[in-house]
């Protein structure tokens, strides 16, 4: 298992080999921050309806838009397992019957990768940039991160640690798959929530979570919630975490930040396997140790 730690803005772990790992759904946190930078600049509003449907950007980012998820399709998982070419996005939406909302926007919660595909389309439409350009200009360059990139084809994963899955086509991740070193994942989250990339009001909105329930069996969460591109809640030991866990064929990544008084710490963990609880438990253990030492 690989990990990287940031304490009070400084990287604690020695620089590791420059090996990229898939960020999986941690990509959503970066997409959310990019979209919120558009709100910051007055280009869009969090509560205006978007072109893709009768829902708002806030509802898309919080998984409250009423959209289904392509992970529900057995044909999707079969196609990935058999190393088929990814379907065009519009074909995926048609197979999913994505235009049929599963509940009225704002009335429920349902994790949806489709919602973040629509966030990507919004970012590209408003900025007039490709997603890669928009992410670089609005998040990575301001935070001083230079080794994160989008993986678009299997060739883009050749130098990436893919865990126990030797082959994968990132085209199956319809909102885009970021890959990069673990230390940049930890620094990215720390920078998003600590620096002035976003004004205080938007950082607070990002971390205002919809509470989804109590303890999750087998995982460290005592209460779980979802904000704007962030999983958030209390874990065993009393810490409150903000960040994201993501998984795909062959690996899991968990990246979280915690505040304890005047001290902060961020941790990114990469686990070669499918068990999210293993990666999250490692995050909790390392954040607890760092924040315990700082007191």
């Amino acid at each position: 298992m690989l990990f990287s730690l940031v304490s009070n803005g400084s990287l604690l772990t020695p620089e590791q080999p420059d090996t990229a790992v898939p960020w999986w759904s941690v990509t959503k946190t970066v997409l959310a921050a990019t979209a919120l930078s558009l709100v910051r600049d007055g280009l869009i509003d969090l509560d205006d309806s978007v072109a893709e449907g009768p829902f708002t950007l806030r509802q898309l980012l919080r998984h409250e838009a009423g959209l289904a998820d392509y992970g529900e399709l057995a044909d999707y998982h079969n196609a990935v397992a058999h190393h088929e070419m990814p379907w065009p996005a519009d074909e995926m939406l048609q197979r999913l019957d994505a235009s049929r909302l599963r509940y009225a926007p704002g009335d429920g919660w349902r994790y949806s990768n489709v919602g973040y595909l629509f966030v990507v389309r919004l970012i590209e439409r408003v900025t007039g940039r490709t997603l890669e350009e928009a992410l670089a200009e609005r998040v990575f360059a301001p935070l001083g991160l230079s080794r994160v990139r989008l993986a678009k084809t299997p060739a883009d994963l050749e130098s990436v640690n893919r865990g126990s899955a030797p082959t994968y086509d990132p085209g199956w991740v319809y909102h885009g798959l970021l890959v990069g070193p673990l230390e940049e994942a930890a620094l990215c989250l720390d920078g998003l929530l600590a620096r002035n990339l976003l004004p205080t009001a938007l950082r607070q909105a990002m971390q205002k979570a919809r509470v989804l329930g109590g303890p999750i069996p087998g995982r460290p969460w005592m209460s779980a919630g979802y904000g704007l591109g962030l999983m958030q809640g209390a874990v065993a030991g009393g810490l409150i975490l903000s960040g994201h866990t993501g998984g795909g064929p062959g690996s899991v990544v968990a990246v979280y930040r915690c505040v304890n008084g005047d001290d902060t710490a961020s941790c990114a963990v990469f686990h070669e396997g499918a068990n999210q609880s293993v990666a999250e438990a490692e995050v909790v253990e390392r954040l607890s140790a760092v924040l315990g030492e700082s007191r």
Side-chain angles (χ1 to χ4, degrees), residues 133-274:
E133 291 169 340
L135 297 180
E137 291 174 3
R138 292 183 165 271
V139 175
F140 299 137
L143 294 180
L145 306 175
S146 60
R147 294 179 289 165
V148 192
R149 56 186 173 83
L150 278 173
K152 302 173 185 177
T153 69
D156 293 330
L157 295 178
E158 287 182 357
S159 61
V160 174
N161 185 339
R162 285 165 282 182
S164 60
T167 60
Y168 183 68
D169 191 325
W172 286 113
V173 185
Y174 286 94
H175 59 59
L177 174 60
L178 288 171
V179 298
L182 269 185
E183 56 261 35
E184 294 223 338
L187 288 167
C188 183
L189 180 64
D190 195 72
L192 291 178
L193 298 181
R195 299 192 199 173
N196 294 324
L197 181 76
L198 297 172
T200 300
L202 286 179
R203 278 186 279 125
Q204 290 175 342
M206 197 175 187
Q207 296 174 84
K208 184 178 180 180
R210 180 187 183 116
V211 178
L212 301 175
I216 301 177
R219 295 172 69 178
W221 298 98
M222 303 306 296
S223 66
Y226 205 95
L228 305 182
L230 288 173
M231 296 169 61
Q232 184 158 303
V235 296
L239 300 181
I240 305 295
L241 303 188
S242 295
H244 219 294
T245 303
S251 64
V252 170
V253 65
V255 186
Y256 287 92
R257 183 174 185 267
C258 184
V259 178
N260 187 8
D262 294 331
D263 295 312
T264 65
S266 298
C267 182
V269 167
F270 175 76
H271 170 57
E272 296 185 10

Side-chain angles (χ1 to χ4, degrees), residues 30-40 44 57 61 119 122-123:
V30 180
L31 293 175
T34 305
L36 290 173
S37 77
L38 304 179
V39 177
R40 174 200 66 197
I44 55 175
L57 174 59
L61 295 177
V119 171
L122 174 66
I123 290 169

Side-chain angles (χ1 to χ4, degrees), residues 54-78:
F55 33 72
T56 67
L57 174 59
R58 189 192 302 271
Q59 289 165 343
L60 287 175
L61 295 177
R62 282 168 62 104
H63 298 292
E64 295 176 331
L67 294 162
D69 181 53
Y70 53 78
E72 301 162 21
L73 296 173
D75 286 349
Y76 171 85
H77 294 286
N78 289 335

